Amino acid sequence: MASSASRGRFTPLAEFYEKATGLEPHPKSNADFAGLNRADGLFIGFQRVDHYRAPTWPDQTVPQQLHICFNVETEDDLDETEAQLLEWGAGKPNHQPHDEAKARVLTDPAGHPFYLIKR
């Protein structure tokens, strides 16, 4: 997990994922479109959407829009990473489809579910 040096420069969702991944903000990021990138070419874009509706999970009334998994090494790492992400604005749905010693579902600040998985 990384800390953000760009707080307030672009979308809150991009700020969340910048902290969670340690990816660098694209220099042309702004409040309407933000990008995070890595030297090897990986790029994740975040676009502001008028009248946005968060995914409903686990039902699919409003379908998921992405699927991201973050790997951690140990159950302690799982606990620590979950706590940090919750502090940064993640949520934790009541529905947890897997053994919580191995995997957890959280939601980002815009409501997209993602996984923390112990390798």
Side-chain angles (χ1 to χ4, degrees), residues 10-89:
F10 50 77
T11 69
L13 188 58
E15 289 179 12
F16 174 82
Y17 280 105
E18 178 192 5
K19 289 187 265 187
T21 64
L23 295 175
E24 293 293 321
H26 188 277
K28 293 186 179 180
S29 294
N30 60 50
D32 291 319
F33 183 83
L36 299 175
N37 42 241
R38 194 170 61 191
D40 66 2
L42 175 70
F43 180 86
I44 302 173
F46 303 88
Q47 181 175 342
R48 185 175 304 281
V49 175
D50 291 333
H51 312 294
Y52 172 77
R53 293 185 329 151
T56 53
W57 186 87
D59 82 60
Q60 294 292 305
T61 304
V62 178
Q64 291 174 236
Q65 297 149 354
L66 72 151
H67 184 98
I68 296 178
C69 297
F70 294 104
N71 292 325
V72 298
E73 296 295 326
T74 68
E75 191 171 345
D76 286 343
D77 291 339
L78 194 59
D79 293 337
E80 291 169 16
T81 301
E82 176 185 335
Q84 184 65 73
L85 290 165
L86 291 171
E87 184 178 313
W88 288 338

Coordinates of all heavy atoms in Angstrom, one line a residue, residues 10-89:
F10 N -7.4 14.9 -8.3 CA -8.3 14.2 -9.3 C -9.3 13.4 -8.5 O -9.5 13.5 -7.3 CB -7.5 13.4 -10.3 CG -6.4 12.4 -9.7 CD1 -6.7 11.3 -9.1 CD2 -5.1 12.8 -9.8 CE1 -5.8 10.4 -8.6 CE2 -4.1 11.9 -9.3 CZ -4.4 10.8 -8.7
T11 N -10.0 12.5 -9.2 CA -11.2 11.9 -8.7 C -10.9 11.1 -7.4 O -9.8 10.5 -7.3 CB -11.8 10.9 -9.7 OG1 -10.9 9.8 -9.9 CG2 -12.1 11.5 -11.0
P12 N -11.8 11.1 -6.5 CA -11.6 10.3 -5.2 C -11.3 8.9 -5.5 O -10.5 8.2 -4.8 CB -12.9 10.5 -4.4 CG -13.4 11.8 -4.9 CD -13.0 11.9 -6.4
L13 N -11.9 8.3 -6.5 CA -11.7 6.9 -6.8 C -10.3 6.7 -7.3 O -9.6 5.7 -6.8 CB -12.7 6.4 -7.9 CG -12.7 4.9 -8.2 CD1 -13.0 4.1 -7.0 CD2 -13.7 4.6 -9.3
A14 N -9.8 7.5 -8.1 CA -8.4 7.4 -8.5 C -7.4 7.6 -7.3 O -6.4 6.9 -7.2 CB -8.0 8.4 -9.6
E15 N -7.7 8.5 -6.4 CA -6.9 8.7 -5.2 C -6.9 7.4 -4.4 O -5.8 7.0 -3.9 CB -7.5 9.9 -4.4 CG -7.2 11.2 -5.0 CD -7.8 12.3 -4.2 OE1 -8.1 12.1 -3.0 OE2 -7.8 13.5 -4.7
F16 N -8.1 6.8 -4.3 CA -8.1 5.5 -3.5 C -7.2 4.5 -4.1 O -6.4 3.8 -3.4 CB -9.6 5.0 -3.5 CG -9.7 3.7 -2.8 CD1 -9.8 3.6 -1.4 CD2 -9.8 2.5 -3.6 CE1 -10.0 2.3 -0.8 CE2 -10.0 1.3 -3.0 CZ -10.0 1.2 -1.6
Y17 N -7.3 4.3 -5.4 CA -6.5 3.3 -6.1 C -5.0 3.6 -6.2 O -4.2 2.8 -6.2 CB -7.1 2.9 -7.5 CG -8.3 1.9 -7.3 CD1 -9.6 2.4 -7.5 CD2 -8.1 0.6 -7.0 CE1 -10.6 1.5 -7.4 CE2 -9.1 -0.3 -6.8 CZ -10.4 0.2 -7.0 OH -11.5 -0.7 -6.9
E18 N -4.7 4.9 -6.2 CA -3.3 5.3 -6.1 C -2.7 4.9 -4.8 O -1.6 4.3 -4.8 CB -3.2 6.8 -6.2 CG -1.8 7.3 -6.1 CD -1.6 8.8 -6.0 OE1 -2.7 9.5 -5.8 OE2 -0.5 9.3 -5.9
K19 N -3.4 5.1 -3.7 CA -3.0 4.6 -2.4 C -2.9 3.1 -2.3 O -1.9 2.5 -1.8 CB -3.9 5.2 -1.3 CG -3.7 6.7 -1.1 CD -4.5 7.1 0.1 CE -5.8 7.6 -0.3 NZ -6.6 8.2 0.8
A20 N -3.9 2.4 -2.9 CA -4.0 1.0 -2.8 C -2.9 0.3 -3.6 O -2.5 -0.8 -3.2 CB -5.4 0.5 -3.2
T21 N -2.6 0.9 -4.7 CA -1.7 0.2 -5.7 C -0.3 0.7 -5.7 O 0.7 0.1 -6.1 CB -2.2 0.2 -7.1 OG1 -2.2 1.6 -7.5 CG2 -3.6 -0.4 -7.2
G22 N -0.1 2.0 -5.3 CA 1.2 2.6 -5.5 C 1.5 3.1 -6.9 O 2.6 3.5 -7.2
L23 N 0.5 3.0 -7.8 CA 0.7 3.4 -9.2 C 0.9 5.0 -9.2 O 0.3 5.7 -8.3 CB -0.4 3.0 -10.1 CG -0.6 1.5 -10.3 CD1 -1.8 1.2 -11.1 CD2 0.7 0.9 -11.0
E24 N 1.6 5.5 -10.2 CA 1.8 6.9 -10.3 C 0.7 7.6 -11.1 O 0.2 7.1 -12.1 CB 3.1 7.2 -11.1 CG 4.3 6.7 -10.4 CD 4.6 7.5 -9.1 OE1 4.4 8.8 -9.1 OE2 5.0 6.9 -8.1
P25 N 0.2 8.8 -10.6 CA -0.8 9.5 -11.3 C -0.3 10.0 -12.7 O 0.9 10.4 -12.8 CB -1.2 10.7 -10.4 CG 0.0 10.8 -9.5 CD 0.6 9.5 -9.4
H26 N -1.1 9.9 -13.7 CA -0.7 10.5 -15.0 C -0.7 12.0 -14.9 O -1.6 12.6 -14.2 CB -1.8 10.0 -16.0 CG -1.3 10.4 -17.4 ND1 -1.6 11.6 -18.0 CD2 -0.7 9.7 -18.4 CE1 -1.1 11.7 -19.2 NE2 -0.6 10.5 -19.5
P27 N 0.3 12.6 -15.4 CA 0.4 14.1 -15.2 C -0.7 14.9 -15.8 O -0.9 16.1 -15.3 CB 1.7 14.4 -16.0 CG 2.0 13.3 -16.9 CD 1.4 12.1 -16.3
K28 N -1.5 14.4 -16.7 CA -2.7 15.1 -17.2 C -4.0 14.8 -16.5 O -5.0 15.2 -17.0 CB -2.8 14.9 -18.7 CG -1.6 15.5 -19.5 CD -1.8 15.4 -21.0 CE -0.6 16.1 -21.7 NZ -0.8 16.0 -23.1
S29 N -3.9 14.1 -15.4 CA -5.1 13.7 -14.7 C -5.8 15.0 -14.1 O -5.1 16.0 -13.8 CB -4.8 12.8 -13.5 OG -4.3 11.6 -14.0
N30 N -7.1 14.9 -14.1 CA -7.9 16.0 -13.5 C -9.1 15.5 -12.9 O -9.3 14.3 -12.7 CB -8.2 17.1 -14.6 CG -9.0 16.5 -15.8 OD1 -10.0 15.9 -15.6 ND2 -8.5 16.7 -17.0
A31 N -10.1 16.4 -12.5 CA -11.3 16.0 -11.8 C -12.2 15.2 -12.7 O -13.1 14.5 -12.1 CB -11.9 17.2 -11.2
D32 N -12.1 15.3 -14.0 CA -13.0 14.5 -14.9 C -12.5 13.2 -15.4 O -13.2 12.3 -15.6 CB -13.4 15.4 -16.0 CG -14.3 16.6 -15.6 OD1 -15.2 16.4 -14.7 OD2 -14.1 17.7 -16.1
F33 N -11.2 13.2 -15.6 CA -10.5 11.9 -16.0 C -9.2 11.8 -15.4 O -8.4 12.8 -15.5 CB -10.4 11.8 -17.6 CG -9.8 10.5 -18.0 CD1 -10.6 9.4 -18.1 CD2 -8.4 10.4 -18.2 CE1 -10.1 8.2 -18.5 CE2 -7.9 9.2 -18.6 CZ -8.7 8.1 -18.7
A34 N -8.9 10.7 -14.7 CA -7.6 10.5 -14.1 C -7.1 9.2 -14.5 O -7.8 8.2 -14.8 CB -7.8 10.6 -12.6
G35 N -5.8 9.1 -14.6 CA -5.1 7.9 -14.9 C -4.0 7.6 -13.9 O -3.4 8.5 -13.4
L36 N -3.8 6.3 -13.7 CA -2.7 5.8 -12.9 C -1.9 4.9 -13.8 O -2.4 4.1 -14.6 CB -3.2 5.0 -11.7 CG -4.1 5.7 -10.7 CD1 -4.6 4.8 -9.6 CD2 -3.3 6.9 -10.1
N37 N -0.5 5.0 -13.8 CA 0.3 4.2 -14.6 C 1.5 3.7 -14.0 O 1.9 4.2 -12.9 CB 0.6 4.9 -15.9 CG 1.0 6.4 -15.8 OD1 0.3 7.2 -16.4 ND2 2.0 6.7 -15.1
R38 N 2.1 2.7 -14.6 CA 3.4 2.1 -14.2 C 4.3 2.1 -15.3 O 3.9 2.2 -16.5 CB 3.0 0.7 -13.7 CG 4.1 0.0 -12.9 CD 3.6 -1.3 -12.3 NE 3.2 -2.2 -13.4 CZ 2.6 -3.4 -13.1 NH1 2.2 -3.7 -11.9 NH2 2.3 -4.2 -14.1
A39 N 5.6 2.1 -15.0 CA 6.7 2.2 -16.1 C 6.5 1.2 -17.2 O 6.9 1.4 -18.3 CB 8.0 2.1 -15.4
D40 N 6.0 0.0 -16.8 CA 5.9 -1.1 -17.9 C 4.7 -0.9 -18.8 O 4.4 -1.7 -19.7 CB 5.8 -2.5 -17.2 CG 4.6 -2.7 -16.4 OD1 3.7 -1.8 -16.3 OD2 4.5 -3.8 -15.8
G41 N 3.9 0.2 -18.6 CA 2.8 0.5 -19.5 C 1.4 0.2 -19.0 O 0.4 0.6 -19.6
L42 N 1.3 -0.4 -17.8 CA 0.0 -0.6 -17.2 C -0.6 0.8 -17.0 O 0.0 1.7 -16.5 CB 0.1 -1.4 -15.9 CG -1.2 -1.5 -15.1 CD1 -2.1 -2.5 -15.8 CD2 -0.9 -2.0 -13.7
F43 N -1.9 0.9 -17.4 CA -2.6 2.1 -17.2 C -4.0 1.8 -16.7 O -4.7 1.0 -17.3 CB -2.7 2.9 -18.5 CG -3.4 4.2 -18.4 CD1 -2.8 5.4 -18.0 CD2 -4.8 4.3 -18.7 CE1 -3.4 6.6 -17.9 CE2 -5.4 5.5 -18.6 CZ -4.8 6.7 -18.2
I44 N -4.5 2.5 -15.7 CA -5.9 2.3 -15.2 C -6.5 3.7 -15.3 O -6.0 4.7 -14.7 CB -6.0 1.8 -13.8 CG1 -5.3 0.4 -13.7 CG2 -7.4 1.7 -13.3 CD1 -5.2 -0.1 -12.3
G45 N -7.6 3.9 -16.0 CA -8.3 5.2 -16.1 C -9.6 5.2 -15.3 O -10.3 4.2 -15.1
F46 N -9.9 6.4 -14.9 CA -11.1 6.7 -14.1 C -11.8 7.9 -14.7 O -11.2 9.0 -14.8 CB -10.7 7.0 -12.6 CG -9.9 5.9 -12.0 CD1 -8.5 5.9 -12.1 CD2 -10.5 4.9 -11.3 CE1 -7.8 4.9 -11.5 CE2 -9.8 3.9 -10.7 CZ -8.4 3.9 -10.8
Q47 N -13.0 7.8 -15.1 CA -13.8 8.8 -15.7 C -15.0 9.2 -14.9 O -15.7 8.3 -14.4 CB -14.2 8.4 -17.1 CG -14.9 9.4 -17.9 CD -15.2 8.9 -19.3 OE1 -14.6 8.0 -19.8 NE2 -16.2 9.5 -19.9
R48 N -15.2 10.5 -14.7 CA -16.4 10.9 -14.0 C -17.6 10.6 -14.8 O -17.6 10.8 -16.1 CB -16.3 12.4 -13.7 CG -17.5 12.9 -12.8 CD -17.3 14.4 -12.5 NE -16.0 14.7 -11.8 CZ -15.8 14.4 -10.5 NH1 -16.7 13.9 -9.8 NH2 -14.6 14.7 -10.0
V49 N -18.7 10.1 -14.2 CA -19.9 9.7 -14.9 C -21.1 10.5 -14.3 O -21.3 10.3 -13.1 CB -20.1 8.2 -14.9 CG1 -21.4 7.8 -15.5 CG2 -19.0 7.5 -15.5
D50 N -21.8 11.2 -15.1 CA -23.0 11.9 -14.5 C -24.0 10.8 -14.2 O -24.2 9.8 -15.0 CB -23.6 12.9 -15.6 CG -22.7 14.1 -15.8 OD1 -21.9 14.5 -14.8 OD2 -22.7 14.7 -16.9
H51 N -24.8 11.0 -13.2 CA -25.8 10.1 -12.8 C -25.4 8.7 -12.5 O -26.0 7.7 -12.8 CB -27.0 10.1 -13.8 CG -27.4 11.5 -14.2 ND1 -28.0 12.4 -13.3 CD2 -27.3 12.1 -15.4 CE1 -28.2 13.5 -14.0 NE2 -27.8 13.4 -15.2
Y52 N -24.2 8.6 -12.0 CA -23.5 7.2 -11.7 C -24.4 6.5 -10.8 O -24.9 7.0 -9.8 CB -22.1 7.4 -11.2 CG -21.5 6.2 -10.7 CD1 -21.0 5.2 -11.5 CD2 -21.5 5.9 -9.3 CE1 -20.4 4.1 -11.1 CE2 -20.9 4.7 -8.8 CZ -20.4 3.8 -9.7 OH -19.9 2.6 -9.3
R53 N -24.5 5.2 -11.0 CA -25.2 4.2 -10.1 C -24.2 3.2 -9.7 O -23.7 2.5 -10.6 CB -26.4 3.6 -10.7 CG -27.5 4.6 -10.9 CD -28.8 4.0 -11.4 NE -28.6 2.8 -12.2 CZ -29.6 1.8 -12.3 NH1 -30.7 1.9 -11.6 NH2 -29.3 0.8 -13.1
A54 N -23.9 3.0 -8.5 CA -23.0 2.0 -8.0 C -23.5 0.6 -8.3 O -24.7 0.3 -8.3 CB -22.7 2.1 -6.5
P55 N -22.6 -0.4 -8.6 CA -23.0 -1.7 -8.8 C -23.7 -2.3 -7.5 O -23.4 -1.9 -6.4 CB -21.7 -2.5 -9.0 CG -20.7 -1.5 -9.2 CD -21.1 -0.2 -8.6
T56 N -24.7 -3.1 -7.8 CA -25.3 -3.8 -6.7 C -24.7 -5.2 -6.6 O -24.7 -5.9 -7.6 CB -26.9 -3.9 -6.9 OG1 -27.1 -4.4 -8.2 CG2 -27.5 -2.5 -6.8
W57 N -24.2 -5.6 -5.5 CA -23.5 -6.8 -5.4 C -23.9 -7.5 -4.1 O -24.0 -6.8 -3.1 CB -22.0 -6.6 -5.4 CG -21.2 -7.9 -5.5 CD1 -20.9 -8.6 -6.5 CD2 -20.7 -8.6 -4.3 NE1 -20.2 -9.7 -6.2 CE2 -20.1 -9.8 -4.8 CE3 -20.7 -8.4 -3.0 CZ2 -19.5 -10.7 -4.0 CZ3 -20.2 -9.3 -2.1 CH2 -19.5 -10.5 -2.6
P58 N -24.2 -8.7 -4.0 CA -23.9 -9.7 -5.1 C -25.0 -9.8 -6.2 O -24.7 -10.5 -7.2 CB -23.9 -11.0 -4.3 CG -24.7 -10.8 -3.1 CD -24.6 -9.4 -2.8
D59 N -26.2 -9.2 -6.0 CA -27.1 -9.3 -7.1 C -26.6 -8.4 -8.3 O -25.7 -7.6 -8.1 CB -28.5 -8.9 -6.7 CG -28.8 -7.4 -6.6 OD1 -28.7 -6.8 -7.7 OD2 -29.1 -6.9 -5.5
Q60 N -27.1 -8.5 -9.4 CA -26.6 -7.8 -10.6 C -27.6 -6.8 -11.2 O -27.6 -6.6 -12.4 CB -26.2 -8.9 -11.7 CG -25.1 -9.7 -11.3 CD -23.8 -8.9 -11.2 OE1 -23.4 -8.3 -12.1 NE2 -23.1 -9.0 -10.0
T61 N -28.5 -6.2 -10.3 CA -29.4 -5.2 -10.8 C -28.7 -4.1 -11.5 O -29.1 -3.7 -12.6 CB -30.2 -4.7 -9.6 OG1 -30.9 -5.7 -9.0 CG2 -31.3 -3.7 -10.1
V62 N -27.6 -3.7 -10.9 CA -26.6 -2.8 -11.6 C -25.3 -3.6 -11.6 O -24.7 -3.8 -10.6 CB -26.4 -1.4 -10.9 CG1 -25.4 -0.6 -11.6 CG2 -27.8 -0.7 -10.7
P63 N -24.9 -4.1 -12.8 CA -23.8 -5.0 -12.9 C -22.5 -4.4 -12.5 O -22.3 -3.2 -12.6 CB -23.8 -5.4 -14.4 CG -24.9 -4.8 -15.0 CD -25.5 -3.8 -14.1
Q64 N -21.6 -5.3 -12.1 CA -20.2 -4.9 -11.8 C -19.6 -4.3 -13.1 O -19.9 -4.8 -14.2 CB -19.4 -6.1 -11.4 CG -19.7 -6.6 -10.0 CD -19.0 -7.9 -9.7 OE1 -19.6 -8.9 -9.4 NE2 -17.7 -7.9 -9.8
Q65 N -18.6 -3.4 -12.9 CA -18.0 -2.8 -14.1 C -16.5 -3.2 -14.2 O -15.9 -2.9 -15.2 CB -18.2 -1.3 -14.0 CG -19.6 -0.9 -14.0 CD -19.9 0.3 -13.2 OE1 -19.1 0.9 -12.5 NE2 -21.2 0.7 -13.3
L66 N -16.0 -3.9 -13.2 CA -14.6 -4.3 -13.3 C -14.4 -5.4 -12.2 O -15.3 -5.6 -11.4 CB -13.6 -3.2 -13.0 CG -13.5 -2.7 -11.6 CD1 -12.1 -2.1 -11.3 CD2 -14.5 -1.5 -11.4
H67 N -13.3 -6.2 -12.3 CA -13.0 -7.2 -11.3 C -11.5 -7.1 -11.0 O -10.7 -7.3 -11.9 CB -13.4 -8.6 -11.9 CG -13.2 -9.7 -10.8 ND1 -14.2 -10.2 -10.1 CD2 -12.0 -10.3 -10.4 CE1 -13.7 -11.1 -9.3 NE2 -12.4 -11.2 -9.5
I68 N -11.2 -6.7 -9.8 CA -9.8 -6.6 -9.4 C -9.6 -7.4 -8.2 O -10.4 -7.5 -7.2 CB -9.5 -5.1 -9.1 CG1 -9.6 -4.2 -10.3 CG2 -8.1 -5.0 -8.5 CD1 -9.3 -2.8 -10.1
C69 N -8.5 -8.2 -8.2 CA -8.0 -8.9 -7.0 C -6.7 -8.4 -6.6 O -5.8 -8.2 -7.4 CB -7.9 -10.4 -7.3 SG -9.5 -11.2 -7.8
F70 N -6.5 -8.2 -5.3 CA -5.2 -7.9 -4.7 C -4.7 -9.1 -3.9 O -5.5 -9.6 -3.0 CB -5.3 -6.7 -3.8 CG -5.7 -5.4 -4.5 CD1 -7.0 -4.9 -4.4 CD2 -4.7 -4.7 -5.2 CE1 -7.3 -3.7 -5.0 CE2 -5.0 -3.5 -5.8 CZ -6.3 -3.0 -5.8
N71 N -3.5 -9.6 -4.2 CA -3.0 -10.7 -3.4 C -2.2 -10.2 -2.2 O -1.5 -9.2 -2.3 CB -2.0 -11.5 -4.3 CG -2.7 -12.2 -5.4 OD1 -3.9 -12.7 -5.2 ND2 -2.1 -12.3 -6.6
V72 N -2.3 -10.9 -1.1 CA -1.5 -10.7 0.1 C -0.9 -12.0 0.5 O -1.3 -13.1 0.1 CB -2.3 -10.1 1.3 CG1 -2.9 -8.8 0.9 CG2 -3.4 -11.1 1.7
E73 N 0.2 -12.0 1.3 CA 1.0 -13.2 1.6 C 0.4 -14.0 2.7 O 0.4 -15.2 2.7 CB 2.4 -12.8 1.9 CG 3.2 -12.2 0.7 CD 3.4 -13.2 -0.4 OE1 3.5 -14.4 -0.2 OE2 3.3 -12.7 -1.6
T74 N -0.1 -13.4 3.8 CA -0.5 -14.1 5.0 C -1.9 -13.6 5.5 O -2.3 -12.6 5.0 CB 0.5 -13.9 6.1 OG1 0.4 -12.5 6.6 CG2 1.9 -14.2 5.7
E75 N -2.4 -14.3 6.4 CA -3.7 -13.9 7.0 C -3.5 -12.6 7.7 O -4.4 -11.7 7.7 CB -4.3 -15.0 7.9 CG -5.7 -14.7 8.3 CD -6.4 -15.8 9.0 OE1 -5.9 -16.9 9.0 OE2 -7.5 -15.5 9.6
D76 N -2.4 -12.4 8.4 CA -2.1 -11.1 9.1 C -2.1 -10.0 8.0 O -2.6 -8.9 8.3 CB -0.8 -11.1 9.8 CG -0.8 -11.9 11.1 OD1 -2.0 -12.2 11.6 OD2 0.2 -12.3 11.6
D77 N -1.4 -10.2 6.9 CA -1.4 -9.2 5.8 C -2.9 -8.9 5.3 O -3.2 -7.8 5.0 CB -0.6 -9.7 4.6 CG 0.9 -9.8 4.8 OD1 1.4 -9.1 5.8 OD2 1.5 -10.5 4.1
L78 N -3.7 -10.0 5.3 CA -5.1 -9.8 4.9 C -5.8 -8.9 5.9 O -6.5 -7.9 5.5 CB -5.7 -11.2 4.9 CG -7.1 -11.3 4.2 CD1 -7.0 -10.9 2.7 CD2 -7.5 -12.8 4.3
D79 N -5.6 -9.1 7.2 CA -6.2 -8.2 8.2 C -5.7 -6.8 8.1 O -6.5 -5.8 8.2 CB -5.9 -8.8 9.6 CG -6.6 -10.1 9.9 OD1 -7.6 -10.4 9.2 OD2 -6.1 -10.8 10.7
E80 N -4.4 -6.6 8.0 CA -3.8 -5.3 7.9 C -4.2 -4.5 6.7 O -4.5 -3.3 6.7 CB -2.3 -5.4 8.0 CG -1.8 -5.9 9.4 CD -0.3 -6.2 9.4 OE1 0.4 -5.9 8.4 OE2 0.1 -6.9 10.3
T81 N -4.2 -5.2 5.5 CA -4.6 -4.6 4.3 C -6.0 -4.2 4.3 O -6.4 -3.1 3.9 CB -4.3 -5.5 3.1 OG1 -2.9 -5.8 3.1 CG2 -4.7 -4.9 1.8
E82 N -6.9 -5.1 4.8 CA -8.3 -4.7 4.9 C -8.5 -3.5 5.8 O -9.2 -2.5 5.4 CB -9.1 -5.9 5.5 CG -10.6 -5.5 5.8 CD -11.4 -6.6 6.5 OE1 -11.0 -7.8 6.4 OE2 -12.4 -6.3 7.1
A83 N -7.8 -3.4 7.0 CA -8.0 -2.3 7.9 C -7.5 -1.0 7.2 O -8.2 0.0 7.3 CB -7.2 -2.5 9.1
Q84 N -6.4 -1.0 6.5 CA -5.9 0.2 5.8 C -6.9 0.6 4.7 O -7.2 1.8 4.6 CB -4.5 -0.1 5.2 CG -3.9 1.1 4.5 CD -3.6 2.2 5.6 OE1 -2.6 2.1 6.3 NE2 -4.4 3.2 5.6
L85 N -7.4 -0.3 3.9 CA -8.3 0.0 2.8 C -9.6 0.6 3.4 O -10.2 1.6 2.9 CB -8.6 -1.2 1.9 CG -7.4 -1.6 1.1 CD1 -7.6 -3.0 0.5 CD2 -7.1 -0.6 0.0
L86 N -10.1 0.0 4.5 CA -11.3 0.6 5.2 C -11.0 2.0 5.6 O -11.9 2.9 5.5 CB -11.7 -0.3 6.3 CG -12.3 -1.7 5.9 CD1 -12.5 -2.6 7.1 CD2 -13.6 -1.6 5.1
E87 N -9.9 2.3 6.2 CA -9.5 3.6 6.6 C -9.5 4.6 5.4 O -9.8 5.8 5.6 CB -8.1 3.6 7.3 CG -7.7 4.9 7.9 CD -6.4 4.8 8.6 OE1 -6.2 3.8 9.4 OE2 -5.5 5.7 8.3
W88 N -9.1 4.1 4.3 CA -9.0 5.0 3.1 C -10.3 5.1 2.4 O -10.4 5.8 1.3 CB -8.0 4.4 2.1 CG -6.6 4.6 2.6 CD1 -6.1 5.5 3.5 CD2 -5.4 3.8 2.1 NE1 -4.7 5.3 3.6 CE2 -4.3 4.3 2.8 CE3 -5.3 2.8 1.2 CZ2 -3.0 3.8 2.6 CZ3 -4.0 2.3 1.0 CH2 -2.9 2.8 1.7
G89 N -11.4 4.5 2.9 CA -12.7 4.7 2.3 C -13.4 3.5 1.7 O -14.5 3.6 1.1

